[in-house]
Amino acid sequence: MLALLMGLAVAAAPAPQSGDAVVGRWKTPVHNGIVEIARCGTSICGKIVSSDKLRTNPNLADAQNSDKALRNRRLMNLQILSGFKQQGAGWYGGKIYNAEDGKTYSAEVTMTGNDQLNLRGCVFKPFCRTQTWTRVR
């Protein structure tokens, strides 16, 4: 799950405020993916801004999408995180789109430090996987 994205923290900067701690660019553990998380109203959303595959082919399409009508859309800047509600220091009830298999999963985002977050994606609980993403500065 999330293989396209899974796959530099640099100089330290001041920690963002609690609700906005997830805002910024994050490196995923596979394919050197970079996801930019931003505020979207009262929620957060995230888009793919880079990966090893996108650096090789910036026009890479969403070829595995389960909806055939969407298979020609570009992965670059594709929104993959949406629908989260903040609860305490975490974001819950959201969705993550996995371009590797063309499916959408339920998701949670929690900070594990100033420069790390855990993203948990679930087919349905308890069938979940958690990834640690690292802030890019």
Side-chain angles (χ1 to χ4, degrees), residues 55-68:
R55 282 185 282 284
T56 301
N57 178 6
N59 294 316
L60 194 62
D62 188 13
Q64 300 303 315
N65 198 299
S66 57
D67 181 346
K68 290 180 183 181

Side-chain angles (χ1 to χ4, degrees), residues 66-85:
S66 57
D67 181 346
K68 290 180 183 181
L70 298 176
R71 290 183 181 166
N72 289 325
R73 68 182 180 171
R74 290 179 53 189
L75 290 178
M76 181 76 74
N77 294 316
L78 180 67
Q79 183 173 316
I80 61 164
L81 296 173
S82 63
F84 292 86
K85 294 178 183 70

Side-chain angles (χ1 to χ4, degrees), residues 11-23 26 111 113-116 135 137:
Q17 296 180 354
S18 66
D20 291 329
V22 299
V23 172
W26 298 90
M111 296 295 298
N114 288 336
D115 293 323
Q116 288 191 326
R135 188 180 303 278
R137 301 236 184 234

